[in-house]
Amino acid sequence: MAKDPVDALTPLGVMVLALLRESDMHPYEMVRLLRARHDDRLITVTNGTLYHTVARLQRAGLLAEVGTDRDGKRPERTTYTLTDAGRETVVSWVRRALPRIDREVDARVALAEAHNLERTDVVALLHDRRAALRDSHALHHDGLRGARTKGVPAQVLVEIERQEALLDAELRWLDSLLTRLDGDDLPWGPDAFDDSDRYRAQRKAAQQ
């Protein structure tokens, strides 16, 4: 049975494919854009890892070469485009990762790329995520209460206390986001991006 490309996709691979949803690019531009947008706070971005990821995505048929160019004495650069399979895979990966709470890096990348999905899809997936967070928060809350009742030393409960607090904070933040998504004050989707002077300047700088 052929392996589902979504299963083999890494968070960096998702972000590479998502970049190509914007425009055809060469790997050097991808690296510069990821760093300019501070996406390297979510994942480790090195030239070697990104070039290796691009090669893997090409072998999987998720992106394809569209040409090469050379600017002066610089090395030849290969430009890539997103295939239909790559476009579908980004959406499938985000749909799969967004409601899950057991993979922190995947969840953060999925949130960063959730704008590639329709608003209604994102709202439904975030409600699924909220249900999982609520259950986990209740489990930690009840576990803490039970442990304290039994006289478990407080010093061995600090990690559980932290996790309960983080879950509570995310639930409150998620409720706020869902409220914004239900209204009109949060533009959503690829077409909602403003093709501003700042964005064009950022792209131009990354192409140098």
Side-chain angles (χ1 to χ4, degrees), residues 1-192:
M1 180 181 296
K3 189 173 183 179
D4 186 343
V6 178
D7 294 333
L9 204 56
T10 64
L12 178 57
V14 173
M15 302 198 86
V16 167
L17 295 178
L19 283 176
L20 291 176
R21 284 177 65 100
E22 300 177 27
S23 178
D24 297 347
M25 297 183 194
H26 52 72
Y28 184 67
E29 181 181 359
M30 297 176 195
V31 170
R32 289 175 64 92
L33 269 179
L34 288 171
R35 290 175 177 162
R37 296 173 179 178
H38 303 291
D39 289 327
D40 51 355
R41 66 191 169 79
L42 303 176
I43 53 176
T44 300
V45 179
T46 67
N47 289 7
T49 302
L50 190 133
Y51 277 86
H52 176 70
T53 297
V54 167
R56 289 180 62 248
L57 294 172
Q58 183 179 16
R59 289 195 298 270
L62 303 180
L63 52 78
E65 295 182 14
V66 289
T68 58
D69 63 82
R70 184 188 299 274
D71 185 5
K73 296 182 179 180
R74 292 174 178 168
E76 189 174 78
R77 292 174 177 172
T78 301
T79 300
Y80 294 88
T81 193
L82 191 65
T83 64
D84 289 341
R87 190 175 303 276
E88 294 171 3
T89 300
V90 171
V91 172
S92 296
W93 190 94
V94 174
R95 281 184 177 142
R96 185 177 298 185
L98 195 56
R100 297 186 60 171
I101 65 171
D102 59 334
R103 296 184 179 181
E104 176 66 16
V105 173
D106 287 11
R108 293 181 69 190
V109 171
L111 281 169
E113 300 299 344
H115 60 266
N116 289 291
L117 276 59
E118 295 296 329
R119 183 189 298 260
T120 53
D121 289 343
V122 172
V123 169
L125 291 166
L126 289 179
H127 275 293
D128 290 342
R129 180 176 185 81
R130 191 192 186 287
L133 288 168
R134 181 196 60 214
D135 291 345
S136 184
H137 179 264
L139 182 65
H140 283 77
H141 178 78
D142 293 346
L144 273 174
R145 184 172 56 185
R148 288 165 179 157
T149 299
K150 294 175 182 177
V152 175
Q155 63 187 13
V156 302
L157 298 176
V158 292
E159 190 281 325
I160 302 174
E161 291 174 350
R162 173 183 179 275
Q163 187 62 21
E164 183 202 23
L166 290 174
L167 290 164
D168 179 67
E170 183 168 357
L171 279 167
R172 287 186 279 110
W173 170 81
L174 189 52
D175 285 341
S176 174
L177 176 59
L178 286 167
T179 297
R180 294 170 67 199
L181 285 168
D182 285 339
D184 299 325
D185 63 330
L186 181 61
W188 196 259
D191 295 336

